[in-house]
Amino acid sequence: MPRKFFFRLMRSGPLGAMALYVASASPLHAARPAASSIPSFSAEQAQSGADLYQRACAMCHGADLSGNFQTPSLKGRLVASWAGIPLSRLTGYIQRAMPLMAPGTLSPEDATALVAFLMRENGASPAKTALPVTEKRQASLKFPALAIQPDTSPSK
Amino acid sequence: MTNRNRNIGRRHLVAGASASSLVGALAGSRLLHAQTPPVSPAQAFTPQKPRIRLQPFDLRADQITDIKVCLRPFRPMGPRFDVERVGNKLVFHNYGHGGSGWSLSWGSASLVVEKVSTTLQRKVAVIGCGIIGLTTALTAQRAGFDVTIYTKDLLPRTRSVRANGSWTPDSRISLTAPAGPGFADLWEKMARISWATYRDYLGLPGNPVEFIEHFVLSDRPFNTPHEEGPDGRTGDYASTGMPQHGTEFARYSDRIKDIVPTAEELHPSENPFAAPYAKRNTLMLYNFASYGHLLMSEFFQAGGHVVIREFHDPSELTSLPEKVIINCPGYAARDWWNDKSLIPVRGQTAWLPPRPDLPYGLHYQGASAVSKTDGLMVQAYDLNNEGEMGSIGNSFEHPDRSESERAIKVLADLFARSPLSEG
Ligand SMILES: Cc1cc2nc3c(=O)[nH]c(=O)nc-3n(C[C@H](O)[C@H](O)[C@H](O)COP(=O)(O)OP(=O)(O)OC[C@H]3O[C@@H](n4cnc5c(N)ncnc54)[C@H](O)[C@@H]3O)c2cc1C
């Protein structure tokens, strides 16, 4: 039953483009974090994570990842909770626990794409090499400390 | 329920009609519940002709105990949330909440603390202990930070407690055009988080936060467009750098209609006031004394520290031990951070002795009275029918007793004409 619901959601069209516009218009995200020892992931990976996110996660965590009163934001505090932790644990958590109503439905590729997307949305830039999917290789990569940096844009 | 809630109906609301017709008139109203026997839902919705009597407030200028004046920290583009570096410190701004600081405080705090979390610091300094600084400090504690508040004054001496203190989340918060659609989304987020957080402060001893009955009265039907008196103002914010018309101010409350109780228009037979048109709603209030004490004690119980200190220049922040600072100085940012985008919007409240036995409020002809636990508050919003424009850009932070006396008289005259009587 929950699985059916989940797959129905997966098929319905995303509002991705609009959501991304909203995210970048928010003054909270005008400040971009600096890159420092960020595990490499590809732009395609992050984009496939973004598409999946809009279909499977946005209804709870919000189109712009900011969560709500009862669902954690996947920006900001996510960094505080996961920085320095092996990526395999985050991928594992997402596979094991998310989406909340259909846990265990995501493939390792999907969960990895979502992790790439989460890094991108928290300020990391994509690179040439894709993030490896195997748990063993992810175990040696850490979620980066993506600190928010001062805003240099003219509109304050 | 507290004593305050229980006493009302018995002592002060008198019905000239049967219990069921009373309930029909104000179903769900706490003003009525005390002495009315329980009724079935079917009875509760039977429309009948009620004669509700609310006891009038004792509105006389010689009852004034205090007149408070305050400047709303208004920014046309909405509050300031950007991040700045000062020496080796990272400064996160959280100020400029216009006439909505009480209402949006928790949501605003939560958005800022979310960003501060990415610094991976354990200690954070908060500048300011108005409602924004204090809720920011508490939110940071709840996110695991050790918090020190640096401020020149604690809450009871800040501009925040010179406000009205009710749920007004889109009052002078921004101008529609300069704020843009991105801010509307952010506003909705702040409003929803705040509203949800306030549930945790309802029904507590001393009523730190409560809902009361509120009547909006009018001489003209509610659906006729509001016409401002001619005031000689021309242009708009884009052409003059100052808002010129009430219509430039953003209104976002339709975005949260799904969670905020709707006002209902009263049938003339249900209207206890001598104004031809009346609406009733429930209004959320922040009672400054009890809510303020509760928040301060929560802060200390969670291990928070306060340092009384006044800053004069941003460079002084480099002497603080914390690397991360959240700046919540309200209107004072105009001086202390040299932020000229802040426009003062003056407001004044007069305080009469508390009437906790009469928990209701009303609004008529630009004047309002609201019964709070710490006083009966009277405010002149718009006595000259200028679309509330009279106070924009006015930084005369000094009491004007005649303004309060006029507001008292508008409402006292209304009561004198209304068929309310002593119970
Ligand atoms: C008449 C009136 C009615 C209002 N009614 C409502 C309402 O019904 N609902 C609502 O939601 N909002 C209302 N508001 C708006 C609300 O009061 C403000 O938005 C809110 O008080 C802003 O809070 P703040 O903490 O940012 O500022 P403040 O309360 O001004 O706090 C600033 C803090 O910073 C400290 N500080 C300032 N400068 C320095 C310095 N140089 N060094 C050290 N410390 C410093 C101060 O001591 C203080 O502790 C009203 C405002 C007015 C004027």
Side-chain angles (χ1 to χ4, degrees), chain A residues 21-22 25-28 31 64 66 69 73 75-80 83 145-151 156, chain B residues 75 77 80-85 90 92 111 114-115 117-118 120 142-143 181-182 185-186 189 193 196-197:
Chain A
Y21 163 71
V22 168
S26 152
L28 284 186
D64 63 355
S66 64
F69 195 66
S73 145
K75 268 188 168 165
R77 194 135 176 220
L78 182 90
V79 175
L146 294 157
I148 284 190
Q149 292 300 305
D151 189 359
K156 285 181 181 174
Chain B
R75 295 178 90 233
M77 59 297 271
R80 184 168 178 190
F81 290 126
D82 62 294
V83 188
E84 263 187 275
R85 186 173 289 285
L90 213 45
F92 292 77
L111 295 177
E114 189 75 47
K115 283 191 304 174
S117 298
T118 68
L120 307 184
R142 292 172 192 182
D185 292 331
L186 197 66
K189 223 159 272 160
I193 294 172
T197 306

Side-chain angles (χ1 to χ4, degrees), chain B residues 68-73 94-104 127-134 150-155 157-169 171 286 309-312 328-333 336 345-349 379 381:
Chain B
K68 303 191 200 185
V69 192
C70 152
L71 304 178
R72 298 172 182 86
N94 186 15
Y95 67 77
H97 296 76
S100 305
W102 283 89
S103 311
L104 296 178
I127 312 293
C129 192
I131 193 57
I132 299 296
L134 187 50
Y150 296 85
T151 184
K152 71 180 156 111
D153 283 307
L154 294 178
L155 186 70
R157 293 289 290 273
T158 63
R159 290 198 167 97
S160 288
V161 298
R162 309 206 293 261
N164 163 312
S166 52
W167 174 255
T168 59
S171 159
Y286 314 112
R309 175 164 171 185
E310 177 164 345
F311 299 94
H312 313 94
C328 314
Y331 182 74
W336 128 254
V345 181
R346 183 186 182 278
Q348 171 173 309
T349 49
Q379 190 175 1
Y381 277 96

